[in-house]
């Protein structure tokens, strides 16, 4: 499982570099931070159970954060309304 965290760090580094090349600097910095996080976890040699629990916690926080952003923060449409507001007004 420690190798999978190193693989995750490789792919987050790839996404970070693509975001830098696309001038998406906040996204690039987020993925660069994730690269450091996954790479450090990959070399900790923790137990399999601990790696699975850390990954579950990471995915839970990611999904909750993505849902919060898309429902309450992200503007949609030409009127730049937020998603929840447009859902309630329909």
């Amino acid at each position: 499982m420690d190798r999978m965290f190193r693989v995750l760090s490789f792919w987050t580094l790839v996404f970070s570099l693509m975001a830098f090349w696309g001038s998406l600097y906040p996204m690039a910095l987020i993925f660069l931070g994730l690269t450091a996080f996954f790479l450090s976890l990959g070399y900790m040699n923790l137990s399999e159970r601990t790696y699975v629990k850390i990954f579950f916690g990471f995915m839970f926080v990611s999904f909750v954060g993505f849902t919060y952003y898309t429902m309450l923060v992200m503007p949609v449409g030409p009127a730049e309304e937020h998603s929840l507001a447009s859902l309630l007004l329909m």
Side-chain angles (χ1 to χ4, degrees), residues 1-88:
M1 192 71 177
D2 56 344
R3 290 181 183 172
M4 289 312 300
F5 275 92
R6 287 183 226 148
V7 170
L8 280 172
S9 69
F10 168 76
W11 285 112
T12 54
L13 179 64
V14 169
F15 291 142
S16 176
L17 291 175
M18 287 191 299
F20 270 123
W21 290 329
S23 299
L24 301 170
Y25 299 118
M27 177 183 160
L29 292 175
I30 289 171
F31 275 92
L32 197 60
L34 286 174
T35 299
F37 175 69
F38 288 142
L39 193 61
S40 64
L41 279 175
Y43 284 106
M44 283 186 164
N45 292 327
L46 302 172
S47 70
E48 190 89 12
R49 186 179 188 123
T50 306
Y51 278 123
V52 169
K53 286 182 179 182
I54 290 171
F55 186 71
F56 173 75
F58 172 76
M59 293 306 293
F60 181 78
V61 169
S62 297
F63 290 154
V64 167
F66 179 76
T67 304
Y68 170 78
Y69 179 77
T70 56
M71 290 296 290
L72 300 174
V73 178
M74 183 175 73
V76 294
E80 294 295 320
E81 295 174 348
H82 295 291
S83 299
L84 187 62
S86 64
L87 179 68
L88 294 175

